[in-house]
Amino acid sequence: MTCPLPEAATGRLRGAGCEIVTLPDGVPLGDAARHGALVGVDALVCTLTDRVDAAVLDAAPDLAVVATVSVGHEHIDTAHAARREVVVRTTPGALDAATADLTMLLILAACRRSSDAEATVRGATWTGWRLDQHLGLDLDGGRLGIVGWGRIGRAVAARAAAFGLEVIHHARRPTGDASFVADLDELLARSDVVSLHVPLTPDTRHLIDGRRLGLLRPTAVLVNTSRGAVVDEAALAEALHAGRLFGAGLDVYESEPDVHPRLRSAPGVTLLPHIGSATVRTRARMADLAVDGVLDALAAHPTSADRDRPTRRRIPYRSTATAHEETQRP
């Protein structure tokens, strides 16, 4: 494991007979791999900050599964993993509600410019109530454009309706929903708030670039809780400083933990440190799904211990997710 998991999750691994080795804090996975730390490892539990490239995979000749405690897997060389017949497991669905909640927080914060307002209180520069002070935007009667119509995008739409927002959305393929807008440029031009919910792929890198930022109204707000590189940070910072955009709310960045310096000083922007899934219940569920992935894969593949002791009898493992699904059947 590249980081400690909640005790309930590690307890399940120990209960299944796994020996757990956790990398020391601050040791990059690549460095550990080069020093032989992955020799004899059957399963790797990692996070989105770990680069699981071909060199790391090849440094673990016995590896059967990589379970990442994240929905995205762009940090893993999945093509090389497939060639090595290494299973890659993610944690889909576990963080939908938490990320949708945080998206609404950022929409509200950016529209009401709460970060700028809070800074006057913390900096002791607030001089009292004024009629023209800290004026923001109303959500009621506005239009929210959602880019990406997966589970999180739809969860945001459900929450947005409670605030009186009309929702339109764009996806790669027609969704059959009446709110679908086929052309992304059209959605940007029509929206008061734009929220991004797409995976990071070669096609979505800098999907929102300088040209597309120019399609947004000067009174519009951009929110990103997907992946930082979906937005050209330099272009966004320039638009905010130039007043061509009312505000932005960001939880993700191109080169985390580094943030573009002009974003830090931009007006009307709320910056959070990638906390979309950071609730106790959500992170515990993500860890549990990662453990499911590990135990499912190890039940289906011989481990290094099995190869040393070929007569060892393996006990089939049924994941908690599978068990839950079975209890829900009529």
Side-chain angles (χ1 to χ4, degrees):
M1 301 195 303
T2 63
C3 69
L5 297 183
E7 182 55 37
T10 53
R12 289 179 57 213
L13 289 170
R14 292 191 186 96
C18 294
E19 176 189 356
I20 299 173
V21 178
T22 303
L23 289 183
D25 188 35
V27 175
L29 182 58
D31 289 353
R34 283 190 291 274
H35 287 87
L38 301 185
V39 174
V41 166
D42 298 295
L44 172 64
V45 177
C46 65
T47 71
L48 56 85
T49 63
D50 299 305
R51 179 63 182 162
V52 186
D53 56 18
V56 168
L57 292 167
D58 288 344
D62 297 317
L63 193 64
V65 56
V66 175
T68 177
V69 189
S70 65
V71 172
H73 53 72
E74 64 271 10
H75 54 295
I76 302 171
D77 188 337
T78 54
H80 194 68
R83 288 191 291 270
R84 284 278 317 278
E85 298 185 341
V86 173
V87 176
V88 175
R89 297 292 291 268
T90 62
T91 59
L95 47 69
D96 298 351
T99 305
D101 288 347
L102 189 88
T103 299
M104 291 307 304
L105 183 153
L106 286 172
I107 290 173
L108 286 163
C111 285
R112 296 300 298 268
R113 289 199 163 178
S114 63
S115 293
D116 291 349
E118 183 185 13
T120 67
V121 178
R122 291 186 179 276
T125 60
W126 183 47
T127 58
W129 188 91
R130 287 177 48 182
L131 188 66
D132 61 350
Q133 188 179 60
H134 301 308
L135 301 183
L137 305 174
D138 289 304
L139 295 189
D140 187 36
R143 182 180 292 122
L144 170 64
I146 295 178
V147 182
W149 200 235
R151 290 185 302 268
I152 296 174
R154 295 194 299 272
V156 170
R159 287 157 173 74
F163 287 88
L165 282 162
E166 175 196 352
V167 175
I168 58 176
H169 73 274
H170 170 79
R172 289 177 298 173
R173 291 179 291 273
T175 62
D177 193 289
S179 65
F180 176 70
V181 177
D183 184 67
L184 175 58
D185 288 0
E186 179 188 345
L187 176 137
L188 297 175
R190 291 174 55 190
S191 299
D192 299 299
V193 179
V194 172
S195 188
L196 305 176
H197 302 282
V198 296
L200 180 60
T201 68
D203 290 336
T204 62
R205 184 174 293 276
H206 284 192
L207 180 71
I208 307 301
D209 55 11
R211 183 189 71 79
R212 284 197 163 120
L213 286 167
L215 299 175
L216 293 168
R217 304 167 184 175
T219 56
V221 162
L222 178 71
V223 170
N224 187 14
T225 58
S226 58
R227 288 292 183 263
V230 172
V231 177
D232 183 337
E233 283 186 5
L236 175 59
E238 177 59 30
L240 289 165
H241 279 284
R244 296 194 300 270
L245 196 62
F246 183 82
L250 305 176
D251 186 45
V252 289
Y253 307 92
E254 285 193 70
S255 303
E256 297 180 14
D258 296 330
V259 179
H260 195 286
R262 280 178 58 78
L263 271 181
R264 295 180 185 273
S265 61
V269 62
T270 296
L271 306 174
L272 296 179
H274 205 145
I275 59 171
S277 64
T279 71
V280 173
R281 185 175 67 183
T282 298
R283 291 283 171 85
R285 179 59 178 150
M286 292 170 71
D288 209 37
L289 284 175
V291 170
D292 282 350
V294 167
L295 297 180
D296 277 337
L298 293 185
H301 293 81
T303 67
S304 55
D306 291 323
R307 286 184 285 274
D308 294 338
R309 292 174 291 178
T311 60
R312 180 184 178 189
R313 178 176 175 268
R314 293 194 61 78
I315 301 173
Y317 170 75
R318 185 178 65 172
S319 73
T320 57
T322 302
H324 175 74
E325 288 170 2
E326 291 182 355
T327 62
Q328 300 305 306
R329 291 173 185 165

